[in-house]
Structure formats: structure tokens, C-alpha cells
């Protein structure tokens, strides 16, 4: 086994060569875990031999309890034909859910526990090599630790006193045309600090992305939380996301899959996004999502009646303000 990192001209990421993940020794697992913490993203080429159950076994034994043991992401229906968003409401929801993930995000921030890590392995990749970067079904990653460290000092300090709500229904509504149904109907609203201190390293990084809205300021002396005006919240969250994803190419990596590539990322440090591809081309990915620690990935405590009001108010605001969708689409267009 050979671990080569960081990725060329990047602040993070490593490629793990010459390894069968089903046969790693105890010593190699320790090396891999240390590399996962150090580099944030690990790429394992040539893992196409794995079955779904074998991939799940590796994910579980390597990083612990799985929130989603097996995650099948595909635009192929059971009969072998491709999803058609105009064919039925169900197919439209499936496409919209996948398209929603093309916005920068961290997994499960819209749940009581955000995720610890994610795995994705390419089984079928779209045949669209002529497309530009970011249009070929890649997965993109952003180093939120490096981005936080590079913020102006006054913004760093401001962010330490800020938190934001996260909701899947809000992020899908902001994306537009969400008709209900699917995984996000089961989500509520959860408050999270904008600066997260990594439980393994103690280092700070931004905790932002498409699920975040409704920023709040916390008085460090009294602990009292005060909601920012919606436009001020949008301004800060948009600034942070744009800063992280466009300021320095060293913080961004687009992984262009070969069949059999297995990619693992630290969800507590990295933003990621799915990249679009022609829906006329088949694409199949198989993944696993590792559950967050009940202490370090737990959302902040907020009364349920407060979060219900927050959710309703934000959905109404999105419905009345088409510029919110326009801004979201502009963010997605940035490569």
C-alpha cells in the first residue's frame, strides 16, 4: 500500500495505490485513518471488484456505524431505461433530488447528527469526455479548513459567534421546482455553528453549504442568540461560500471518475458537490454514509416550536422572492 498526498497543487487529498480494501492489515488501517484525517479525501483506484456488501463491510469496519449502509445513486430504472423527469412525478423527484446535490453541501447537516464521512464508488460513468470540467458527473470537493484559515481576521472572529439553520426542504426549495416527496420531506430544521472544530484535530473549519440559512449571532457573555435580518444572513453565507469555493484553486478538486474508483471524504472538513452530466448518459454510483458522533456532530438545542416557525417563514420567503433561486443557480454555475 502506498499513500501519495496531497493531490498535485492542492491543500488536501491523497491517492491510495496498491491496496485491496478487503485485505488491509490492522497496521494499514491505522495508516489509512491517519491519512483520512490529514488529507480529508482519499481516492482508492481499481476497487471495481467490490460487491455492495463488501463495500459496506469495509466502510463499517474502517469508520464505524453507518447512517446509510448502502446508497445507490443512478439514473437507470429497473427495466434498464433512463429516468425521464417529464414521465412521472416520482421520476421528477428522483432527478430533482440528484440535481439538488449539485450544490455545495455537507451531508446530513439537515438532520440531528451531521455525517462523519461519505464513500462513493463508480460503477458506470457517463460517456461525455468532450464536456468541460464540472460537466462530466464528477464529485467536487472544497477544503473548508484552508478556507477558514485564509479568511480576513475580522471575519474569522465574527464567524466564531455565528450559527445557521440547516434544512433539506429549504435547500430544495431554493433550488426550485420542488414538488414534495422524497427524502427531504422527512427533515426538520437544525442549528449548527458556522465554525466547526474538528473532533480529531481540534482545528477550525467552515460549516456551510446549500442547506444553511437564517444565520444567528450568539453573545459570548450571555449566550443569547439573535437572528440576523434575512438579507444580512444571505450576505454572510453567500460571501463565505463564494470565498471558500472560488478564492484559491488549491482548495478545490474535481474527481473525474474511472470505473472502480472508490472515494472517501471527511464530511466534518470538506464541502462537496455532485457535478451535472448529460441525462441521456447512464451513471451509477454506489455509496455509504458514516454516522456522526452523537456528541461532536449533534446539532445545537433549539425548541421544536421555534424551528417549525423558522422553516415555515423561510419557505414562504423563498416562494415570494425569485431572486433567491436566481442566486442559487448562479452559485451552481461557478466552476
Amino acid at each position: 500500500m502506498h499513500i501519495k498526498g496531497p493531490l498535485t497543487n492542492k491543500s488536501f487529498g491523497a491517492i491510495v495505490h496498491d491496496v485491496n480494501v478487503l485485505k488491509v492489515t490492522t497496521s494499514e488501517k491505522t495508516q489509512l485513518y491517519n491519512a483520512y484525517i490529514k488529507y480529508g479525501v482519499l481516492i482508492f483506484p481499481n476497487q471495481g471488484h467490490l460487491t455492495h456488501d463488501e463495500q459496506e463491510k469495509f466502510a463499517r469496519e474502517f469508520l464505524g456505524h453507518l447512517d446509510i449502509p448502502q446508497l445507490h445513486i443512478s439514473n437507470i430504472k429497473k427495466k434498464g431505461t433512463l429516468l425521464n423527469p417529464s414521465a412521472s412525478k416520482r421520476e421528477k423527484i428522483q432527478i430533482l433530488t440528484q440535481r439538488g446535490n449539485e450544490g455545495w453541501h455537507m451531508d446530513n447537516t439537515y438532520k440531528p447528527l451531521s455525517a462523519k464521512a461519505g464513500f462513493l464508488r463508480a460503477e458506470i460513468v457517463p460517456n461525455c469526455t468532450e464536456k468541460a470540467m464540472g460537466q462530466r458527473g464528477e464529485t467536487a470537493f472544497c477544503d473548508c479548513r484552508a478556507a477558514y484559515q485564509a479568511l480576513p481576521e475580522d471575519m474569522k472572529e465574527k464567524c466564531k459567534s455565528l450559527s445557521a439553520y440547516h434544512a433539506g426542504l429549504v435547500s430544495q426549495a431554493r433550488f426550485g421546482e420542488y414538488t414534495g416527496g422524497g427524502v427531504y420531506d422527512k427533515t426538520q430544521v437544525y442549528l449548527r455553528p458556522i465554525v466547526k472544530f474538528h473532533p480529531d484535530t481540534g482545528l477550525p473549519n467552515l460549516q456551510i453549504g446549500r442547506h444553511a440559512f437564517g444565520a444567528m449571532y450568539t453573545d459570548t457573555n450571555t449566550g443569547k442568540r439573535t437572528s440576523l435580518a434575512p438579507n444580512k444572513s444571505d450576505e454572510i453565507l453567500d460571501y463565505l461560500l463564494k470565498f471558500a469555493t472560488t478564492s484559491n484553486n488549491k482548495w478545490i478538486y474535481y474527481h473525474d471518475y474511472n470505473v472502480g474508483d472508490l472515494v472517501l471524504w471527511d464530511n466534518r472538513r470538506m464541502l462537496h458537490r455532485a457535478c451535472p452530466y448529460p441525462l441521456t448518459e447512464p451513471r451509477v454510483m454506489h455509496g455509504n454514509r458514516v454516522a456522526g458522533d452523537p456528541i461532536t456532530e449533534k446539532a445545537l438545542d433549539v425548541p421544536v416550536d421555534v424551528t417549525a416557525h423558522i422553516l415555515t417563514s423561510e419557505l414562504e420567503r423563498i416562494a415570494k422572492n425569485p431572486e433567491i433561486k436566481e442566486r442559487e443557480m448562479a452559485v451552481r454555475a461557478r466552476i
Side-chain angles (χ1 to χ4, degrees):
M1 183 177 74
H2 176 61
I3 302 172
K4 184 179 180 181
L7 298 170
T8 303
N9 296 323
K10 304 299 176 185
S11 63
F12 67 96
I15 302 176
V16 186
H17 296 283
D18 304 320
V19 63
N20 180 335
V21 298
L22 296 177
K23 298 181 179 180
V24 291
T25 65
T26 300
S27 174
E28 288 173 331
K29 283 183 180 179
T30 299
Q31 293 179 57
L32 285 174
Y33 188 82
N34 290 339
Y36 156 72
I37 296 300
K38 180 178 181 178
Y39 294 115
V41 174
L42 297 183
I43 300 163
F44 300 84
N46 305 315
Q47 301 300 317
H49 59 279
L50 294 174
T51 66
H52 292 176
D53 288 345
E54 288 171 339
Q55 181 176 322
E56 178 186 341
K57 181 175 184 289
F58 169 64
R60 190 186 306 278
E61 291 182 352
F62 183 43
L63 288 181
H65 176 67
L66 301 181
D67 173 62
I68 302 180
Q70 296 195 17
L71 178 64
H72 196 63
I73 304 172
S74 171
N75 66 340
I76 304 176
K77 295 186 290 186
K78 289 182 179 180
K79 294 183 179 180
T81 57
L82 299 182
L83 289 174
N84 179 358
S86 63
S88 67
K89 179 180 177 180
R90 181 177 180 181
E91 290 184 44
K92 180 177 182 178
I93 289 171
Q94 287 180 273
I95 290 292
L96 284 173
T97 300
Q98 293 187 29
R99 292 294 309 276
N101 287 329
E102 292 170 10
W104 289 105
H105 64 284
M106 292 174 164
D107 286 333
N108 287 13
T109 57
Y110 55 85
K111 290 185 176 183
L113 291 181
S114 58
K116 178 178 182 179
F119 290 81
L120 274 181
R121 180 168 56 89
E123 297 186 347
I124 298 176
V125 298
N127 181 23
C128 52
T129 54
E130 78 286 355
K131 292 285 185 179
M133 182 186 73
Q135 301 292 324
R136 299 194 290 258
E138 307 102 319
T139 301
F141 298 96
C142 172
D143 186 353
C144 286
R145 178 187 301 170
Y148 176 77
Q149 293 297 344
L151 282 171
E153 289 301 322
D154 60 338
M155 182 57 77
K156 277 187 189 179
E157 288 305 309
K158 179 183 290 187
C159 286
K160 288 180 181 178
S161 300
L162 294 175
S163 54
Y165 288 104
H166 291 245
L169 276 175
V170 166
S171 53
Q172 284 299 100
R174 191 184 291 156
F175 170 57
E177 299 183 38
Y178 188 58
T179 57
V183 297
Y184 294 115
D185 273 4
K186 300 175 184 178
T187 69
Q188 297 299 317
V189 181
Y190 298 95
L191 187 65
R192 300 188 176 280
I194 284 179
V195 178
K196 179 178 178 63
F197 289 86
H198 195 286
D200 285 76
T201 66
L203 296 173
N205 57 257
L206 294 171
Q207 187 172 223
I208 52 176
R210 78 183 189 100
H211 301 309
F213 71 100
M216 302 188 75
Y217 167 77
T218 301
D219 188 300
T220 54
N221 294 317
T222 65
K224 181 181 178 181
R225 294 172 184 151
T226 303
S227 297
L228 301 185
N231 61 336
K232 185 62 177 177
S233 171
D234 290 347
E235 179 184 325
I236 291 175
L237 292 172
D238 290 350
Y239 166 80
L240 293 174
L241 187 59
K242 184 175 182 179
F243 182 87
T245 59
T246 66
S247 295
N248 193 323
N249 192 50
K250 288 186 176 181
W251 309 338
I252 304 293
Y253 169 68
Y254 286 78
H255 185 69
D256 204 356
Y257 289 94
N258 293 309
V259 172
D261 283 355
L262 174 65
V263 179
L264 158 66
W265 67 93
D266 188 340
N267 191 66
R268 302 161 300 181
R269 171 181 171 183
M270 312 301 301
L271 278 168
H272 67 283
R273 63 179 290 191
C275 293
Y277 62 94
L279 293 179
T280 54
E281 291 287 336
R283 180 178 184 266
V284 178
M285 309 292 290
H286 190 74
N288 321 90
R289 190 171 296 168
V290 184
D293 183 274
I295 297 176
T296 60
E297 273 66 72
K298 184 178 183 293
L300 300 174
D301 290 329
V302 180
V304 174
D305 59 335
V306 173
T307 59
H309 171 72
I310 290 291
L311 178 60
T312 300
S313 297
E314 185 64 13
L315 291 175
E316 289 176 351
R317 187 174 80 96
I318 293 170
K320 294 176 182 178
N321 294 276
E323 69 271 14
I324 295 176
K325 179 181 176 181
E326 293 170 5
R327 186 169 63 245
E328 174 70 14
M329 300 312 293
V331 169
R332 290 163 178 260
R334 293 199 298 255
I335 299 296

